[in-house]
Amino acid sequence: EFVEMFVGVGASRVRDLFKKAKENAPCIVFVDEIDAVGRQRGTGIGGGNDEREQTLNQLLTEMDGFEGNTGIIVIAATNRADILDSALLRPGRFDRQVSVDVPDVRGRTEILKVHGGNKKFDADVSLDVIAMRTPGFSGADLANLLNEAAILAGRRGKTAISSKEIDDSIDRIVAGMEGTVMTDGKSKSLVAYHEVGHAICGTLTPGHDPVQKVTLVPRGQARGLTWFIPNDDPTLISRQQLFARIVGGLGGRAAEEVIFGEPEVTTGAAGDLQQITGLAKQMVVTFGMSEIGPWSLMEGGAQSGDVIMRMMARNSMSEKLAEDIDSAVKRLSDEAYEIALMHIRNNREAIDKIVELLIEKETLNGDEFRAILSEFVEIPVENRVPPATPAALPA
């Protein structure tokens, strides 16, 4: 509320705020979205009078100027700590930074307990299992998940939330609204082979996350989906796991090519190709996981979402290095595609059986999928799911 179009209003509001704080000392002043006034100074073109800068100058003076503001603690929040003025972050002002990241599995369990306190759940619903199924969800996402599940339970005339509503809500939040299932035989068969291709290649490549379910129910832009569930919070990911994800991502295209022939390959793999190309590029330029060597090939800001910084980084490298990067990315993708094609060719019988069942049931869960697949081929040890359900986490 400091920023105003009239000159001087923001600064006078800061003075009033601290005057009020002194009268109520000891007290806490909390400033939300501090980057609205605390942005780096001197970035405007051509100088002139910037109202934001005046407000920031006043804030800096009030926080740690000549006059001592004892008994007042100032706390601020921002999503963009990288663009704050350095004077704001020096000792005496905002000298402690507390990074609030997305919660880990234990944090998610505790957050779910808070948001689930006023909701009724069936006996089969375990908050620990929901927490394990939702890596990367923030507190707001988890609140949204339980609200969505409660709405679905009400719509279905139930008196308590069951695991079916939880599953549907996770699917809806991650992938979008449910569409109507295709009736056309050829398209449905093609989507089924595509999705089973992902599931087979993922399951048979060591280091890949286990399949949670394969479905032909369209969501968002996707005609069908294969869901994988991480075994643990993916904070540190090995080269083997990243490569396995690329193989799994190419499994859909490989299945289309092997089963229907190259002329029948469809546009369905466009999203997969985008994802795996991005992943392969990260392996080469950010994580140093290619033959180019263990060093980061991007300059400072180039790994951020800043397009201009990325363009400058590309321009600052030699043509030879840019070529090496492109060929290393292509080599990774080609190698993964060969493995995906091999998995599809070697397991044609299993794929046909799974596809037949999938077209009939429209959704297969991970256990059903693995049970059929293990009749034909041995699943790598590291990709097997332990038979017991996840135990309750220690409080």
Side-chain angles (χ1 to χ4, degrees):
E1 292 178 14
F2 293 148
V3 182
E4 198 52 89
M5 62 180 282
F6 302 110
V7 174
V9 174
S12 81
R13 281 187 179 166
V14 173
R15 281 193 293 273
D16 293 345
L17 172 72
F18 278 88
K19 188 177 169 204
K20 206 181 203 174
K22 277 179 209 163
E23 289 164 9
N24 292 295
C27 81
I28 294 172
V29 174
F30 183 84
V31 186
D32 201 11
E33 306 298 351
I34 187 72
D35 54 282
V37 286
R39 196 179 281 262
Q40 191 79 39
R41 288 172 293 180
T43 49
I45 297 168
N49 185 15
D50 186 351
E51 173 59 10
R52 255 203 320 249
E53 286 196 10
Q54 286 197 342
T55 310
L56 175 58
N57 289 340
Q58 188 64 48
L59 186 62
L60 295 173
T61 311
E62 290 288 351
M63 282 177 73
D64 190 29
F66 284 113
E67 210 178 313
N69 281 330
T70 50
I72 300 174
I73 294 173
V74 188
I75 303 174
T78 178
N79 288 330
R80 296 295 311 273
D82 53 317
I83 61 167
L84 293 180
D85 194 282
S86 52
L88 254 185
L89 304 176
R90 74 165 182 72
R93 291 182 181 135
F94 295 121
D95 47 9
R96 290 196 68 188
Q97 287 190 39
V98 180
S99 175
V100 183
D101 218 334
V102 289
D104 61 4
V105 67
R106 190 177 299 180
R108 291 195 295 275
T109 307
E110 294 302 319
I111 291 168
L112 285 165
K113 283 177 188 169
V114 171
H115 293 300
N118 60 352
K119 294 177 181 64
K120 286 178 72 177
F121 294 99
D122 269 358
D124 67 335
V125 174
S126 160
L127 295 184
D128 295 322
V129 175
I130 300 172
M132 294 183 88
R133 279 203 52 201
T134 49
F137 274 45
S138 66
D141 290 329
L142 294 169
N144 184 22
L145 164 67
L146 293 186
N147 288 340
E148 195 72 55
I151 290 167
L152 284 175
R155 196 177 287 163
R156 291 167 184 174
K158 295 184 177 178
T159 54
I161 298 169
S162 72
S163 50
K164 175 84 174 78
E165 279 74 54
I166 298 286
D167 286 350
D168 290 348
S169 302
I170 292 174
D171 294 356
R172 183 177 283 195
I173 288 168
V174 174
M177 295 287 280
E178 194 174 295
T180 50
V181 183
M182 287 174 291
T183 50
D184 172 23
K186 187 182 177 188
S187 298
K188 194 172 181 180
S189 167
L190 194 136
V191 172
Y193 274 106
H194 183 103
E195 296 309 327
V196 171
H198 283 309
I200 292 260
C201 291
T203 305
L204 297 180
T205 309
H208 202 286
D209 297 328
V211 174
Q212 186 218 329
K213 71 172 174 183
V214 187
T215 178
L216 296 183
V217 178
R219 283 185 180 276
Q221 298 299 306
R223 300 293 89 204
L225 288 161
T226 305
W227 297 88
F228 295 96
I229 182 167
N231 280 323
D232 48 15
D233 271 359
T235 41
L236 290 172
I237 305 172
S238 68
R239 186 189 188 283
Q240 183 192 44
Q241 288 170 306
L242 289 171
F243 186 72
R245 285 181 192 181
I246 296 176
V247 176
L250 286 167
R253 165 56 66 89
E256 286 183 19
E257 188 177 313
V258 170
I259 286 145
F260 296 97
E262 208 168 308
E264 291 293 313
V265 164
T266 68
T267 56
D272 303 330
L273 298 177
Q274 233 172 349
Q275 272 184 325
I276 65 106
T277 306
L279 198 53
K281 191 156 195 175
Q282 270 190 307
M283 286 175 73
V284 175
V285 299
T286 311
F287 307 133
M289 293 177 175
S290 72
E291 65 276 9
I292 293 177
W295 45 295
S296 179
L297 303 166
M298 283 289 190
E299 291 181 9
Q303 291 164 23
S304 68
D306 193 332
V307 180
I308 296 167
M309 288 298 282
R310 285 211 301 269
M311 283 165 59
M312 283 168 62
R314 185 80 183 189
N315 292 340
S316 68
M317 68 173 69
S318 68
E319 284 181 26
K320 171 79 171 68
L321 181 55
E323 270 177 38
D324 287 349
I325 289 173
D326 291 341
S327 60
V329 171
K330 188 173 185 307
R331 197 172 295 117
L332 267 174
S333 304
D334 289 347
E335 199 181 311
Y337 193 50
E338 283 306 315
I339 293 172
L341 288 168
M342 181 192 73
H343 284 321
I344 302 294
R345 290 189 188 113
N346 293 351
N347 298 285
R348 185 63 201 272
E349 202 180 334
I351 291 171
D352 288 342
K353 187 170 179 183
I354 294 166
V355 165
E356 196 180 317
L357 192 62
L358 180 62
I359 289 173
E360 184 191 322
K361 291 180 70 173
E362 287 177 352
T363 299
L364 283 179
N365 68 34
D367 294 335
E368 291 172 316
F369 168 78
R370 280 183 288 275
I372 300 169
L373 183 60
S374 53
E375 291 172 20
F376 295 90
V377 65
E378 194 175 343
I379 296 171
V381 178
E382 55 268 56
N383 287 11
R384 289 179 199 163
V385 177
T389 51
L393 295 162

